[in-house]
Every structure is written in structure tokens, then in C-alpha cells.
Amino acid sequence: MNPADEILDIVDEHDRVVTQAPRGEAYARGLRHRCVFIQVRDAEGRLFVHRRTAGKLVFPALYDLFVGGVVGAGESYDEAALREAEEELGVSGLPEPTYLFTFLYEDESEDGAGHSWWSAVYEVRCDLPVRPQAEEVQWHAFLTDEEVAARLGEWEWVPDGLAAHERLRAFRAAG
């Protein structure tokens, strides 16, 4: 199926489902929907970082600190987190990702449609050899926190992932 045709739950400012729409329409019209962000670390504590492919509907060819994606219509955040993590990493048998928190991501795009989605943030440890989806991931590596920090100012990152990263840092600092 073409990703633009995937049906999503469209939600209000309180994360309540109000209707459904194809992903392509939700993006084009700036309709609020649901997404999951999963921070993946390996057995050595290194962070999975990747560059998205140029064919992605949103934020093509940018670097990302999370795996994840949209929550399908009728799917729970928890179900989507495990599905997206296994799909993007190219693994099966991953432990259930641990839910951390949810936030509303909003920005204004150049075309005026804007982006808005409820974002559930998770973490998971992956000790399995990864084989990321070629249609999703152009490049990947497990990097130390120091290596990630050094690249934050150098590489072009997906803005929603940066927002999730900042919120995750604050969440951990408070907790």
C-alpha cells in the first residue's frame, strides 16, 4: 500500500478521535493525528541514529534520533511503538518499548498547512542485529551520547525528533 493511502485517526487538541483520513490528506491539510517516537539503544548504551530516505512524505533525507511513525486508525500507541520499531529496525522479537510520556508537536510549514500530531515517546533496548528498511532508512549507526551531541549542531535533523529529544532530556533530568 502507498503510505499516503494509510488511514489515520484524526484527533482534537485533547487527543480524542474526531474522524479518519488518509495519511496524504492529513499531511496536506495539516490535520492533527498520532505518532510514536522510540529511542533505541544497543547493549552498550549507544543510540540508534539514522538518516531518512529522500522519498519520505515528511522530513525527507533528514537525520533522526528516533524510530517511529504514525499510529494507524484504531491502533494503540503501544501497538504502533512495537510495530514501528520492529519495522524500521528490521527485527522481530523486540521487547515491548517502555512508554515515557506524550506531548503535542506543532509547527508551521512553508506551505502554510502546518504539522500537528500527538507524540508518544518510548524507549527500548535492541540487542538484535538491525537490518533497517531500505525504503525508510538511508543510513544508520549506533552512536555514543557524545557522538550524538557533537552532531546535533552539524547535521540537519527532523524538527519533531529534536522536539522529542529536548523533552526527553528534560523528562530524564526531572525524574
Side-chain angles (χ1 to χ4, degrees), residues 13-160:
E13 66 275 8
H14 303 290
D15 197 16
R16 293 183 299 230
V17 177
V18 294
T19 191
Q20 294 180 334
R23 182 196 297 206
E25 179 183 342
Y27 288 175
R29 295 181 47 209
L31 302 175
R32 186 178 293 121
H33 54 283
R34 295 173 172 160
C35 289
V36 291
F37 294 77
I38 307 97
Q39 183 182 70
V40 179
R41 291 192 182 269
D42 67 6
E44 297 173 37
R46 297 175 302 175
L47 184 64
F48 180 82
V49 176
H50 68 282
R51 187 169 188 189
R52 298 162 61 90
T53 58
K56 297 290 285 180
L57 289 173
V58 174
F59 311 134
L62 299 184
Y63 289 91
D64 203 340
L65 297 157
F66 298 87
V67 297
V70 297
V71 178
E75 187 176 35
S76 73
Y77 283 113
D78 289 349
E79 291 166 337
L82 181 58
R83 176 184 54 77
E84 286 285 350
E86 289 189 335
E87 283 177 7
E88 286 196 30
L89 295 170
V91 302
S92 60
L94 199 64
E96 292 276 334
T98 302
Y99 170 79
L100 301 173
F101 60 90
T102 303
F103 72 98
L104 179 60
Y105 174 76
E106 294 184 295
D107 81 346
E108 289 299 323
S109 65
E110 300 83 36
D111 60 11
H115 296 292
S116 178
W117 41 81
W118 278 101
S119 308
V121 179
Y122 292 78
E123 65 183 354
V124 71
R125 180 172 151 169
C126 180
D127 296 336
L128 304 164
V130 298
R131 295 173 305 285
Q133 282 183 314
E135 56 274 10
E136 300 270 341
V137 176
Q138 174 180 319
W139 169 91
H140 74 280
F142 281 95
L143 303 178
T144 65
D145 289 338
E146 295 76 20
E147 290 170 322
V148 169
R151 286 164 177 83
L152 282 175
E154 297 173 3
W155 293 352
E156 191 173 2
W157 299 89
V158 295
D160 60 343

